[in-house]
Amino acid sequence: MTFMNQNEMTQPATWDDLKNLFPRQQRDLVVRVVSQLYNVEPRDILSKTRRQPETRARQHAMYLLRTKGKLGLSQIGRMFDRDLNSESEFS
């Protein structure tokens, strides 16, 4: 998956502004912020790896997209190429 570069993305002023971005912009921004927080690569958050640091970062990113981005579970699942049955804890 490709990420938009810094010039293509508008940074929201607050987490509440996140819902005003397009879903892909939301995902890219959240993954970038969470990757810095957990000290993992953004591509590892989107990968299929089950290592604990990446898994925790992925779950945190999904949670933020659900609660702050107001995205639906099916949309979040598609963004992370995940089966929604295993990610239903975010509902």
Side-chain angles (χ1 to χ4, degrees), residues 9-21 25-38 57 60-71:
M9 187 178 299
T10 304
Q11 179 110 6
T14 66
W15 282 113
D16 292 331
D17 295 334
L18 185 66
K19 63 182 172 286
N20 297 327
L21 298 175
Q25 290 175 314
Q26 289 180 21
R27 185 206 64 192
D28 289 351
L29 177 62
V30 167
V31 166
R32 188 165 25 113
V33 169
V34 170
S35 71
Q36 292 172 358
L37 178 68
Y38 285 87
H60 193 163
M62 289 179 175
Y63 173 80
L64 289 171
L65 288 168
R66 179 72 174 141
T67 59
K68 302 298 183 183
K70 305 295 185 201
L71 297 179

mmCIF file of all heavy atoms in Angstrom, residues 9-21 25-38 57 60-71:
data_model
loop_
_atom_site.group_PDB
_atom_site.id
_atom_site.type_symbol
_atom_site.label_atom_id
_atom_site.label_comp_id
_atom_site.label_asym_id
_atom_site.label_seq_id
_atom_site.Cartn_x
_atom_site.Cartn_y
_atom_site.Cartn_z
ATOM 1 N N MET A 9 -1.456 15.648 2.173
ATOM 2 C CA MET A 9 -2.303 15.404 3.324
ATOM 3 C C MET A 9 -2.472 16.680 4.139
ATOM 4 O O MET A 9 -1.527 17.388 4.412
ATOM 5 C CB MET A 9 -1.674 14.320 4.209
ATOM 6 C CG MET A 9 -2.547 13.887 5.335
ATOM 7 S SD MET A 9 -1.778 12.583 6.292
ATOM 8 C CE MET A 9 -1.608 11.331 5.060
ATOM 9 N N THR A 10 -3.699 16.958 4.521
ATOM 10 C CA THR A 10 -3.976 18.072 5.405
ATOM 11 C C THR A 10 -4.036 17.541 6.819
ATOM 12 O O THR A 10 -4.806 16.634 7.118
ATOM 13 C CB THR A 10 -5.327 18.721 5.045
ATOM 14 O OG1 THR A 10 -5.294 19.098 3.683
ATOM 15 C CG2 THR A 10 -5.599 19.914 5.914
ATOM 16 N N GLN A 11 -3.232 18.093 7.694
ATOM 17 C CA GLN A 11 -3.192 17.641 9.089
ATOM 18 C C GLN A 11 -4.342 18.305 9.841
ATOM 19 O O GLN A 11 -4.478 19.515 9.833
ATOM 20 C CB GLN A 11 -1.863 18.028 9.727
ATOM 21 C CG GLN A 11 -1.742 17.628 11.156
ATOM 22 C CD GLN A 11 -0.739 16.520 11.330
ATOM 23 O OE1 GLN A 11 -0.068 16.145 10.393
ATOM 24 N NE2 GLN A 11 -0.640 16.017 12.516
ATOM 25 N N PRO A 12 -5.196 17.515 10.498
ATOM 26 C CA PRO A 12 -6.280 18.125 11.265
ATOM 27 C C PRO A 12 -5.719 18.809 12.508
ATOM 28 O O PRO A 12 -4.683 18.425 13.045
ATOM 29 C CB PRO A 12 -7.159 16.933 11.644
ATOM 30 C CG PRO A 12 -6.259 15.755 11.586
ATOM 31 C CD PRO A 12 -5.224 16.075 10.546
ATOM 32 N N ALA A 13 -6.428 19.829 12.970
ATOM 33 C CA ALA A 13 -5.997 20.555 14.161
ATOM 34 C C ALA A 13 -6.230 19.729 15.420
ATOM 35 O O ALA A 13 -5.462 19.794 16.366
ATOM 36 C CB ALA A 13 -6.741 21.881 14.249
ATOM 37 N N THR A 14 -7.311 18.949 15.434
ATOM 38 C CA THR A 14 -7.630 18.103 16.581
ATOM 39 C C THR A 14 -8.118 16.755 16.072
ATOM 40 O O THR A 14 -8.421 16.591 14.896
ATOM 41 C CB THR A 14 -8.751 18.726 17.451
ATOM 42 O OG1 THR A 14 -9.966 18.750 16.685
ATOM 43 C CG2 THR A 14 -8.404 20.132 17.887
ATOM 44 N N TRP A 15 -8.200 15.797 16.993
ATOM 45 C CA TRP A 15 -8.724 14.484 16.605
ATOM 46 C C TRP A 15 -10.159 14.595 16.122
ATOM 47 O O TRP A 15 -10.604 13.822 15.278
ATOM 48 C CB TRP A 15 -8.637 13.502 17.768
ATOM 49 C CG TRP A 15 -7.266 12.964 17.975
ATOM 50 C CD1 TRP A 15 -6.455 13.190 19.045
ATOM 51 C CD2 TRP A 15 -6.524 12.106 17.100
ATOM 52 N NE1 TRP A 15 -5.253 12.544 18.882
ATOM 53 C CE2 TRP A 15 -5.278 11.865 17.706
ATOM 54 C CE3 TRP A 15 -6.789 11.532 15.869
ATOM 55 C CZ2 TRP A 15 -4.301 11.071 17.121
ATOM 56 C CZ3 TRP A 15 -5.821 10.741 15.292
ATOM 57 C CH2 TRP A 15 -4.599 10.520 15.910
ATOM 58 N N ASP A 16 -10.921 15.557 16.631
ATOM 59 C CA ASP A 16 -12.304 15.721 16.186
ATOM 60 C C ASP A 16 -12.387 16.129 14.716
ATOM 61 O O ASP A 16 -13.373 15.862 14.051
ATOM 62 C CB ASP A 16 -13.029 16.746 17.054
ATOM 63 C CG ASP A 16 -13.243 16.255 18.478
ATOM 64 O OD1 ASP A 16 -13.351 15.017 18.655
ATOM 65 O OD2 ASP A 16 -13.304 17.087 19.385
ATOM 66 N N ASP A 17 -11.337 16.780 14.214
ATOM 67 C CA ASP A 17 -11.299 17.167 12.802
ATOM 68 C C ASP A 17 -10.979 15.997 11.881
ATOM 69 O O ASP A 17 -11.120 16.106 10.676
ATOM 70 C CB ASP A 17 -10.262 18.272 12.574
ATOM 71 C CG ASP A 17 -10.629 19.561 13.284
ATOM 72 O OD1 ASP A 17 -11.836 19.784 13.513
ATOM 73 O OD2 ASP A 17 -9.718 20.334 13.613
ATOM 74 N N LEU A 18 -10.561 14.881 12.450
ATOM 75 C CA LEU A 18 -10.190 13.715 11.651
ATOM 76 C C LEU A 18 -11.348 13.249 10.779
ATOM 77 O O LEU A 18 -11.152 12.853 9.639
ATOM 78 C CB LEU A 18 -9.727 12.580 12.569
ATOM 79 C CG LEU A 18 -9.193 11.324 11.909
ATOM 80 C CD1 LEU A 18 -7.895 11.639 11.176
ATOM 81 C CD2 LEU A 18 -8.968 10.248 12.938
ATOM 82 N N LYS A 19 -12.561 13.329 11.300
ATOM 83 C CA LYS A 19 -13.724 12.838 10.545
ATOM 84 C C LYS A 19 -14.010 13.672 9.298
ATOM 85 O O LYS A 19 -14.782 13.264 8.452
ATOM 86 C CB LYS A 19 -14.948 12.746 11.448
ATOM 87 C CG LYS A 19 -15.425 14.044 12.012
ATOM 88 C CD LYS A 19 -16.616 13.817 12.936
ATOM 89 C CE LYS A 19 -17.015 15.065 13.664
ATOM 90 N NZ LYS A 19 -16.135 15.447 14.734
ATOM 91 N N ASN A 20 -13.376 14.840 9.170
ATOM 92 C CA ASN A 20 -13.577 15.685 8.001
ATOM 93 C C ASN A 20 -12.667 15.321 6.835
ATOM 94 O O ASN A 20 -12.814 15.865 5.753
ATOM 95 C CB ASN A 20 -13.363 17.154 8.374
ATOM 96 C CG ASN A 20 -14.375 17.629 9.398
ATOM 97 O OD1 ASN A 20 -15.506 17.184 9.408
ATOM 98 N ND2 ASN A 20 -13.952 18.512 10.270
ATOM 99 N N LEU A 21 -11.723 14.397 7.053
ATOM 100 C CA LEU A 21 -10.837 13.949 5.985
ATOM 101 C C LEU A 21 -11.448 12.764 5.243
ATOM 102 O O LEU A 21 -12.331 12.088 5.759
ATOM 103 C CB LEU A 21 -9.485 13.526 6.571
ATOM 104 C CG LEU A 21 -8.673 14.596 7.286
ATOM 105 C CD1 LEU A 21 -7.438 13.964 7.913
ATOM 106 C CD2 LEU A 21 -8.286 15.708 6.335
ATOM 107 N N GLN A 25 -7.160 9.305 3.737
ATOM 108 C CA GLN A 25 -6.357 10.303 4.443
ATOM 109 C C GLN A 25 -6.387 10.036 5.948
ATOM 110 O O GLN A 25 -5.370 10.170 6.622
ATOM 111 C CB GLN A 25 -6.882 11.712 4.171
ATOM 112 C CG GLN A 25 -6.651 12.190 2.766
ATOM 113 C CD GLN A 25 -7.309 13.529 2.536
ATOM 114 O OE1 GLN A 25 -8.462 13.746 2.905
ATOM 115 N NE2 GLN A 25 -6.569 14.445 1.936
ATOM 116 N N GLN A 26 -7.558 9.657 6.456
ATOM 117 C CA GLN A 26 -7.675 9.323 7.871
ATOM 118 C C GLN A 26 -6.740 8.173 8.222
ATOM 119 O O GLN A 26 -5.984 8.240 9.187
ATOM 120 C CB GLN A 26 -9.109 8.932 8.227
ATOM 121 C CG GLN A 26 -10.091 10.061 8.210
ATOM 122 C CD GLN A 26 -11.483 9.596 8.573
ATOM 123 O OE1 GLN A 26 -11.666 8.556 9.189
ATOM 124 N NE2 GLN A 26 -12.482 10.373 8.194
ATOM 125 N N ARG A 27 -6.806 7.106 7.416
ATOM 126 C CA ARG A 27 -5.969 5.941 7.678
ATOM 127 C C ARG A 27 -4.491 6.295 7.636
ATOM 128 O O ARG A 27 -3.734 5.955 8.543
ATOM 129 C CB ARG A 27 -6.247 4.842 6.653
ATOM 130 C CG ARG A 27 -5.454 3.557 6.982
ATOM 131 C CD ARG A 27 -5.178 2.694 5.795
ATOM 132 N NE ARG A 27 -4.304 3.375 4.834
ATOM 133 C CZ ARG A 27 -4.099 2.943 3.614
ATOM 134 N NH1 ARG A 27 -4.681 1.859 3.182
ATOM 135 N NH2 ARG A 27 -3.304 3.603 2.788
ATOM 136 N N ASP A 28 -4.080 7.022 6.610
ATOM 137 C CA ASP A 28 -2.668 7.359 6.481
ATOM 138 C C ASP A 28 -2.184 8.211 7.644
ATOM 139 O O ASP A 28 -1.106 7.977 8.196
ATOM 140 C CB ASP A 28 -2.416 8.086 5.160
ATOM 141 C CG ASP A 28 -2.541 7.177 3.949
ATOM 142 O OD1 ASP A 28 -2.651 5.943 4.139
ATOM 143 O OD2 ASP A 28 -2.534 7.699 2.828
ATOM 144 N N LEU A 29 -2.975 9.174 8.045
ATOM 145 C CA LEU A 29 -2.594 10.040 9.153
ATOM 146 C C LEU A 29 -2.523 9.262 10.460
ATOM 147 O O LEU A 29 -1.546 9.353 11.205
ATOM 148 C CB LEU A 29 -3.577 11.206 9.287
ATOM 149 C CG LEU A 29 -3.322 12.149 10.452
ATOM 150 C CD1 LEU A 29 -1.961 12.816 10.316
ATOM 151 C CD2 LEU A 29 -4.425 13.186 10.537
ATOM 152 N N VAL A 30 -3.547 8.472 10.744
ATOM 153 C CA VAL A 30 -3.581 7.710 11.990
ATOM 154 C C VAL A 30 -2.436 6.698 12.027
ATOM 155 O O VAL A 30 -1.759 6.557 13.048
ATOM 156 C CB VAL A 30 -4.947 7.023 12.185
ATOM 157 C CG1 VAL A 30 -4.906 5.991 13.293
ATOM 158 C CG2 VAL A 30 -6.016 8.065 12.480
ATOM 159 N N VAL A 31 -2.197 6.003 10.937
ATOM 160 C CA VAL A 31 -1.111 5.016 10.896
ATOM 161 C C VAL A 31 0.234 5.703 11.110
ATOM 162 O O VAL A 31 1.085 5.189 11.840
ATOM 163 C CB VAL A 31 -1.137 4.215 9.574
ATOM 164 C CG1 VAL A 31 0.151 3.442 9.361
ATOM 165 C CG2 VAL A 31 -2.327 3.264 9.564
ATOM 166 N N ARG A 32 0.416 6.871 10.525
ATOM 167 C CA ARG A 32 1.679 7.593 10.695
ATOM 168 C C ARG A 32 1.885 8.007 12.152
ATOM 169 O O ARG A 32 2.960 7.817 12.722
ATOM 170 C CB ARG A 32 1.716 8.816 9.794
ATOM 171 C CG ARG A 32 3.060 9.497 9.783
ATOM 172 C CD ARG A 32 3.221 10.476 8.639
ATOM 173 N NE ARG A 32 1.974 10.997 8.144
ATOM 174 C CZ ARG A 32 1.608 12.285 8.268
ATOM 175 N NH1 ARG A 32 2.385 13.143 8.845
ATOM 176 N NH2 ARG A 32 0.456 12.693 7.773
ATOM 177 N N VAL A 33 0.844 8.551 12.783
ATOM 178 C CA VAL A 33 0.953 8.990 14.174
ATOM 179 C C VAL A 33 1.169 7.797 15.099
ATOM 180 O O VAL A 33 2.035 7.814 15.979
ATOM 181 C CB VAL A 33 -0.306 9.790 14.580
ATOM 182 C CG1 VAL A 33 -0.346 10.026 16.076
ATOM 183 C CG2 VAL A 33 -0.363 11.105 13.828
ATOM 184 N N VAL A 34 0.399 6.737 14.904
ATOM 185 C CA VAL A 34 0.509 5.552 15.762
ATOM 186 C C VAL A 34 1.860 4.869 15.561
ATOM 187 O O VAL A 34 2.457 4.378 16.518
ATOM 188 C CB VAL A 34 -0.671 4.585 15.513
ATOM 189 C CG1 VAL A 34 -0.456 3.254 16.192
ATOM 190 C CG2 VAL A 34 -1.972 5.224 15.994
ATOM 191 N N SER A 35 2.364 4.853 14.338
ATOM 192 C CA SER A 35 3.671 4.222 14.097
ATOM 193 C C SER A 35 4.770 4.948 14.865
ATOM 194 O O SER A 35 5.695 4.316 15.380
ATOM 195 C CB SER A 35 3.990 4.174 12.609
ATOM 196 O OG SER A 35 4.274 5.456 12.100
ATOM 197 N N GLN A 36 4.674 6.252 14.961
ATOM 198 C CA GLN A 36 5.655 7.011 15.743
ATOM 199 C C GLN A 36 5.499 6.725 17.228
ATOM 200 O O GLN A 36 6.495 6.581 17.942
ATOM 201 C CB GLN A 36 5.502 8.506 15.473
ATOM 202 C CG GLN A 36 5.901 8.897 14.071
ATOM 203 C CD GLN A 36 5.577 10.336 13.742
ATOM 204 O OE1 GLN A 36 5.017 11.068 14.549
ATOM 205 N NE2 GLN A 36 5.935 10.750 12.540
ATOM 206 N N LEU A 37 4.274 6.624 17.676
ATOM 207 C CA LEU A 37 4.001 6.354 19.084
ATOM 208 C C LEU A 37 4.552 4.992 19.509
ATOM 209 O O LEU A 37 5.157 4.858 20.566
ATOM 210 C CB LEU A 37 2.495 6.414 19.351
ATOM 211 C CG LEU A 37 2.018 6.110 20.755
ATOM 212 C CD1 LEU A 37 2.465 7.202 21.714
ATOM 213 C CD2 LEU A 37 0.505 5.992 20.769
ATOM 214 N N TYR A 38 4.375 3.982 18.656
ATOM 215 C CA TYR A 38 4.811 2.626 18.969
ATOM 216 C C TYR A 38 6.198 2.287 18.431
ATOM 217 O O TYR A 38 6.676 1.184 18.608
ATOM 218 C CB TYR A 38 3.791 1.611 18.445
ATOM 219 C CG TYR A 38 2.545 1.539 19.289
ATOM 220 C CD1 TYR A 38 1.463 2.386 19.070
ATOM 221 C CD2 TYR A 38 2.449 0.605 20.326
ATOM 222 C CE1 TYR A 38 0.328 2.316 19.853
ATOM 223 C CE2 TYR A 38 1.320 0.527 21.102
ATOM 224 C CZ TYR A 38 0.267 1.391 20.866
ATOM 225 O OH TYR A 38 -0.862 1.319 21.648
ATOM 226 N N ALA A 57 -0.115 -1.691 17.770
ATOM 227 C CA ALA A 57 -0.196 -0.450 17.014
ATOM 228 C C ALA A 57 -1.368 -0.504 16.029
ATOM 229 O O ALA A 57 -2.110 0.476 15.885
ATOM 230 C CB ALA A 57 1.117 -0.205 16.270
ATOM 231 N N HIS A 60 -4.614 -0.082 17.922
ATOM 232 C CA HIS A 60 -4.764 1.308 18.340
ATOM 233 C C HIS A 60 -5.224 2.168 17.157
ATOM 234 O O HIS A 60 -6.120 3.012 17.297
ATOM 235 C CB HIS A 60 -3.441 1.819 18.908
ATOM 236 C CG HIS A 60 -3.555 3.110 19.643
ATOM 237 N ND1 HIS A 60 -2.589 3.546 20.489
ATOM 238 C CD2 HIS A 60 -4.502 4.073 19.667
ATOM 239 C CE1 HIS A 60 -2.943 4.719 20.992
ATOM 240 N NE2 HIS A 60 -4.103 5.053 20.503
ATOM 241 N N ALA A 61 -4.625 1.954 15.991
ATOM 242 C CA ALA A 61 -5.012 2.710 14.800
ATOM 243 C C ALA A 61 -6.468 2.431 14.430
ATOM 244 O O ALA A 61 -7.227 3.353 14.119
ATOM 245 C CB ALA A 61 -4.088 2.359 13.633
ATOM 246 N N MET A 62 -6.868 1.170 14.493
ATOM 247 C CA MET A 62 -8.259 0.818 14.187
ATOM 248 C C MET A 62 -9.217 1.468 15.183
ATOM 249 O O MET A 62 -10.282 1.969 14.801
ATOM 250 C CB MET A 62 -8.436 -0.693 14.199
ATOM 251 C CG MET A 62 -7.803 -1.394 13.044
ATOM 252 S SD MET A 62 -8.058 -3.175 13.209
ATOM 253 C CE MET A 62 -7.379 -3.752 11.692
ATOM 254 N N TYR A 63 -8.840 1.452 16.444
ATOM 255 C CA TYR A 63 -9.673 2.067 17.476
ATOM 256 C C TYR A 63 -9.843 3.564 17.210
ATOM 257 O O TYR A 63 -10.958 4.103 17.290
ATOM 258 C CB TYR A 63 -9.047 1.837 18.858
ATOM 259 C CG TYR A 63 -9.746 2.583 19.954
ATOM 260 C CD1 TYR A 63 -10.923 2.088 20.506
ATOM 261 C CD2 TYR A 63 -9.239 3.777 20.436
ATOM 262 C CE1 TYR A 63 -11.581 2.778 21.514
ATOM 263 C CE2 TYR A 63 -9.887 4.475 21.437
ATOM 264 C CZ TYR A 63 -11.056 3.979 21.975
ATOM 265 O OH TYR A 63 -11.703 4.670 22.966
ATOM 266 N N LEU A 64 -8.759 4.252 16.868
ATOM 267 C CA LEU A 64 -8.851 5.685 16.593
ATOM 268 C C LEU A 64 -9.704 5.973 15.364
ATOM 269 O O LEU A 64 -10.480 6.932 15.350
ATOM 270 C CB LEU A 64 -7.452 6.282 16.424
ATOM 271 C CG LEU A 64 -6.628 6.389 17.702
ATOM 272 C CD1 LEU A 64 -5.200 6.793 17.376
ATOM 273 C CD2 LEU A 64 -7.261 7.367 18.676
ATOM 274 N N LEU A 65 -9.578 5.148 14.338
ATOM 275 C CA LEU A 65 -10.412 5.337 13.149
ATOM 276 C C LEU A 65 -11.886 5.113 13.459
ATOM 277 O O LEU A 65 -12.750 5.795 12.918
ATOM 278 C CB LEU A 65 -9.955 4.417 12.022
ATOM 279 C CG LEU A 65 -8.632 4.811 11.372
ATOM 280 C CD1 LEU A 65 -8.130 3.692 10.475
ATOM 281 C CD2 LEU A 65 -8.790 6.102 10.592
ATOM 282 N N ARG A 66 -12.170 4.175 14.342
ATOM 283 C CA ARG A 66 -13.551 3.886 14.719
ATOM 284 C C ARG A 66 -14.140 4.993 15.587
ATOM 285 O O ARG A 66 -15.245 5.459 15.356
ATOM 286 C CB ARG A 66 -13.613 2.540 15.463
ATOM 287 C CG ARG A 66 -14.983 2.147 15.934
ATOM 288 C CD ARG A 66 -15.858 1.736 14.776
ATOM 289 N NE ARG A 66 -17.106 1.227 15.289
ATOM 290 C CZ ARG A 66 -18.279 1.461 14.731
ATOM 291 N NH1 ARG A 66 -18.350 2.155 13.622
ATOM 292 N NH2 ARG A 66 -19.373 0.976 15.246
ATOM 293 N N THR A 67 -13.381 5.426 16.594
ATOM 294 C CA THR A 67 -13.930 6.383 17.561
ATOM 295 C C THR A 67 -13.786 7.836 17.119
ATOM 296 O O THR A 67 -14.714 8.617 17.303
ATOM 297 C CB THR A 67 -13.269 6.212 18.939
ATOM 298 O OG1 THR A 67 -11.865 6.406 18.819
ATOM 299 C CG2 THR A 67 -13.566 4.842 19.517
ATOM 300 N N LYS A 68 -12.653 8.183 16.557
ATOM 301 C CA LYS A 68 -12.416 9.577 16.169
ATOM 302 C C LYS A 68 -12.740 9.838 14.699
ATOM 303 O O LYS A 68 -13.173 10.918 14.348
ATOM 304 C CB LYS A 68 -10.966 9.985 16.457
ATOM 305 C CG LYS A 68 -10.561 9.833 17.903
ATOM 306 C CD LYS A 68 -11.391 10.715 18.796
ATOM 307 C CE LYS A 68 -10.918 10.601 20.230
ATOM 308 N NZ LYS A 68 -11.751 11.392 21.138
ATOM 309 N N GLY A 69 -12.494 8.861 13.854
ATOM 310 C CA GLY A 69 -12.766 9.017 12.431
ATOM 311 C C GLY A 69 -14.193 8.693 12.058
ATOM 312 O O GLY A 69 -14.632 8.974 10.962
ATOM 313 N N LYS A 70 -14.916 8.052 12.990
ATOM 314 C CA LYS A 70 -16.323 7.679 12.767
ATOM 315 C C LYS A 70 -16.505 6.792 11.547
ATOM 316 O O LYS A 70 -17.498 6.872 10.836
ATOM 317 C CB LYS A 70 -17.214 8.922 12.638
ATOM 318 C CG LYS A 70 -17.127 9.881 13.795
ATOM 319 C CD LYS A 70 -17.624 9.275 15.055
ATOM 320 C CE LYS A 70 -17.640 10.324 16.158
ATOM 321 N NZ LYS A 70 -17.637 9.776 17.482
ATOM 322 N N LEU A 71 -15.520 5.916 11.301
ATOM 323 C CA LEU A 71 -15.624 4.983 10.184
ATOM 324 C C LEU A 71 -16.287 3.698 10.658
ATOM 325 O O LEU A 71 -16.159 3.305 11.812
ATOM 326 C CB LEU A 71 -14.240 4.668 9.619
ATOM 327 C CG LEU A 71 -13.481 5.846 9.028
ATOM 328 C CD1 LEU A 71 -12.124 5.393 8.530
ATOM 329 C CD2 LEU A 71 -14.261 6.503 7.914
#
